[in-house]
C-alpha cells in the first residue's frame, strides 16, 4: 500500500521516508499542498500522513480531497524524536492496519 507523506519541513519528510522505506513500505513525500493534490489525484495512495506543521485549513482541504481519491487512512502526525522510533511506533502500525483491511 503506497503511503504519501505531507510535511512542511523537507528534512522531517525525508526522515519519515527513510524509516518507512527501510522497513519495506512504499512511500513518497512532498512539502506543498499542490504536490500532494497532484499525487493524490492519481488514486495510487492508500494512506496519507499529514505532518504537524500543516495548518488547519490545508489539513481539512487535503483530508477531503484524499477521501475522494481512494485514500483509506489519513494519519495526523507531529514527529517527536527519535524520529525513526516514532514512525515505527505510531505510523507503521496504522499503515499495516489500513493495508490489512483490503
Amino acid at each position: 500500500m503506497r503511503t504519501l507523506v505531507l510535511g512542511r519541513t523537507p528534512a522531517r519528510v525525508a526522515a519519515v521516508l527513510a524509516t518507512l522505506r527501510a522497513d519495506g513500505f512504499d512511500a513518497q513525500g512532498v512539502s506543498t499542498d499542490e504536490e500532494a493534490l497532484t499525487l493524490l489525484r492519481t488514486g495510487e495512495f492508500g494512506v496519507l500522513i499529514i505532518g504537524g506543521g500543516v495548518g488547519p485549513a490545508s489539513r481539512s482541504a487535503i483530508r477531503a480531497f484524499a477521501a475522494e481519491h481512494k485514500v483509506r487512512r489519513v494519519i495526523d502526525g507531529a514527529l517527536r524524536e527519535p524520529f525513526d522510533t516514532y514512525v515505527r511506533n505510531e505510523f507503521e502500525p496504522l499503515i499495516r492496519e489500513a493495508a490489512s483491511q483490503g
Side-chain angles (χ1 to χ4, degrees):
M1 167 155 315
R2 293 193 77 198
T3 298
L4 179 62
V5 179
L6 170 62
R8 296 297 188 234
T9 308
R12 288 190 178 195
V13 171
V16 171
L17 292 176
T19 300
L20 290 174
R21 289 174 179 160
D23 293 348
F25 292 91
D26 181 6
Q28 189 166 347
V30 296
S31 293
T32 69
D33 293 357
E34 294 77 22
E35 292 171 307
L37 294 172
T38 296
L39 290 174
L40 290 171
R41 203 171 275 117
T42 67
E44 296 177 9
F45 294 89
V47 175
L48 170 64
I49 298 173
I50 303 176
V54 177
S58 289
R59 182 178 300 274
S60 178
I62 295 287
R63 277 181 159 277
F65 192 84
E68 297 169 2
H69 291 84
K70 300 182 183 179
V71 173
R72 294 184 200 163
R73 181 85 185 238
V74 177
I75 303 169
D76 291 309
L79 285 180
R80 288 189 291 265
E81 292 193 43
F83 296 149
D84 60 337
T85 300
Y86 186 84
V87 169
R88 288 184 176 114
N89 290 339
E90 301 297 326
F91 297 160
E92 290 184 5
L94 296 175
I95 295 168
R96 283 188 192 96
E97 180 181 301
S100 73
Q101 294 174 351

